[in-house]
């Protein structure tokens, strides 16, 4: 149980294009989803927290117009990197929690983005 | 402020020997504590958590961790390491008193188990 998927697993795009990453909770309803970014050999950096039907809450320093998050249903959240640039290249990981207490975050397998 | 420290960048251990990956934390209230493991180019896999109750928590793949409130530690342990345990391990904390579900992660410890 508590499986989270991400699609695509990797993507290469040209500078200036937009890329959408999907995060799905496969066997539970996710009350809250999180988006992280991870640089090589570093820890996870929380980008934003999203609750179904509400606007995402972004961490300080994260541009909300650059990283658009939509949490349209209890099983799907999307992250769109708009007008991507090479510095946006990174490993993006989502996680999801279930239930009112939301004790444990379950992570997706990650999406590697390379912007040329 | 909440914080997590993993003092060792890397831990080396021989297969069959016990392993310990250290974690200390700082929160203003009572903590939720977690251990996750990450294999190359993959997301994080949940290993175990401490919420309340018994200080010794048992998790997946034979791992366990002991919550020590006085030392504010939550070290990950396994009695006999396997080569397949080689991976990146993250400790994380969340303050039970906060309504936010944000996790604060440590910097990660790379575990290398040699045959």
């Amino acid at each position: 149980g508590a499986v989270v998927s991400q699609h695509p697993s990797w993507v290469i795009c040209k500078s200036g294009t937009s890329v959408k990453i999907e995060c799905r909770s496969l066997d539970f309803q996710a009350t809250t989803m999180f988006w992280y970014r991870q640089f090589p050999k570093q820890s996870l950096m929380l980008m934003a927290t999203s609750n179904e039907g509400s606007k995402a809450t972004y961490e300080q320093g994260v541009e909300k117009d650059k990283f658009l998050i939509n949490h349209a249903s209890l099983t799907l959240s999307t992250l769109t990197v708009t007008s991507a640039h090479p510095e946006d290249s990174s490993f993006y990981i989502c996680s999801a929690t279930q239930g009112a207490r939301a004790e444990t975050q379950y992570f997706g397998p990650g999406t590697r983005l390379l912007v040329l | 402020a909440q914080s997590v420290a993993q003092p060792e960048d890397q831990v080396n251990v021989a297969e069959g020997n016990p392993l310990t990956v250290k974690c200390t934390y700082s929160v203003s209230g009572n903590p939720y504590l977690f251990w996750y493991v990450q294999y190359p180019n993959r997301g994080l896999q949940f290993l175990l958590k401490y919420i309340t109750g018994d200080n010794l928590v048992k998790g997946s793949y034979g791992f366990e961790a002991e919550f020590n409130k006085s030392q504010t530690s939550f070290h990950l342990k396994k009695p006999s390491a396997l080569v397949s345990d080689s991976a990146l391990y993250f400790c994380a904390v969340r303050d039970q008193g906060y309504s936010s579900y944000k996790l604060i992660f440590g910097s990660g410890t790379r575990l290398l188990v040699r045959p």
Side-chain angles (χ1 to χ4, degrees):
Chain A
V3 179
V4 177
S5 70
Q6 279 184 244
H7 179 79
S9 56
W10 60 271
V11 57
I12 301 173
C13 69
K14 293 181 179 180
S15 186
T17 60
S18 294
V19 175
K20 179 184 285 188
I21 302 170
E22 292 186 350
C23 176
R24 293 182 185 272
S25 55
L26 298 184
D27 53 0
F28 66 100
Q29 291 188 324
T31 50
T32 305
M33 287 185 167
F34 302 82
W35 286 96
Y36 295 84
R37 185 172 178 178
Q38 186 180 31
F39 292 100
K41 298 184 179 181
Q42 293 190 24
S43 189
L44 281 70
M45 182 192 80
L46 180 65
M47 299 174 66
T49 304
S50 74
N51 293 294
E52 184 262 341
S54 303
K55 287 185 179 180
T57 301
Y58 289 82
E59 295 299 299
Q60 192 172 7
V62 178
E63 299 176 58
K64 60 182 180 181
D65 294 330
K66 173 76 172 177
F67 299 99
L68 300 178
I69 291 172
N70 187 304
H71 193 159
S73 76
L74 283 172
T75 59
L76 174 64
S77 176
T78 60
L79 168 68
T80 301
V81 183
T82 62
S83 187
H85 288 94
E87 58 265 30
D88 299 324
S89 298
S90 191
F91 193 52
Y92 293 88
I93 308 175
C94 73
S95 71
T97 60
Q98 62 177 126
R101 297 179 68 182
E103 292 170 349
T104 303
Q105 289 187 27
Y106 297 97
F107 286 80
T111 297
R112 186 160 300 283
L113 170 64
L114 178 60
V115 184
L116 302 176
Chain B
Q2 304 172 73
S3 66
V4 178
Q6 292 181 245
E8 302 153 317
D9 289 338
Q10 182 162 315
V11 170
N12 298 305
V13 65
E15 188 173 31
N17 283 0
L19 68 88
T20 298
V21 183
K22 296 179 180 178
C23 171
T24 59
Y25 66 91
S26 175
V27 297
S28 55
N30 293 316
Y32 288 151
L33 291 156
F34 303 83
W35 275 102
Y36 289 88
V37 59
Q38 185 180 33
Y39 294 97
N41 298 309
R42 301 298 303 274
L44 275 65
Q45 293 180 28
F46 170 72
L47 279 180
L48 51 81
K49 67 181 178 184
Y50 171 82
I51 302 298
T52 187
D54 196 347
N55 289 344
L56 183 63
V57 179
K58 294 187 182 298
S60 306
Y61 312 119
F63 284 95
E64 58 187 30
E66 186 166 11
F67 170 61
N68 188 318
K69 188 171 184 178
S70 62
Q71 296 185 5
T72 61
S73 67
F74 190 57
H75 301 330
L76 181 70
K77 299 182 180 183
K78 187 173 182 180
S80 178
L82 299 172
V83 173
S84 57
D85 293 329
S86 299
L88 186 58
Y89 290 81
F90 289 100
C91 180
V93 69
R94 184 185 131 199
D95 192 323
Q96 294 188 30
Y98 285 118
S99 59
S100 166
Y101 300 141
K102 285 171 51 175
L103 284 179
I104 305 301
F105 283 89
S107 55
T109 299
R110 189 164 300 280
L111 174 66
L112 181 60
V113 182
R114 59 184 185 276

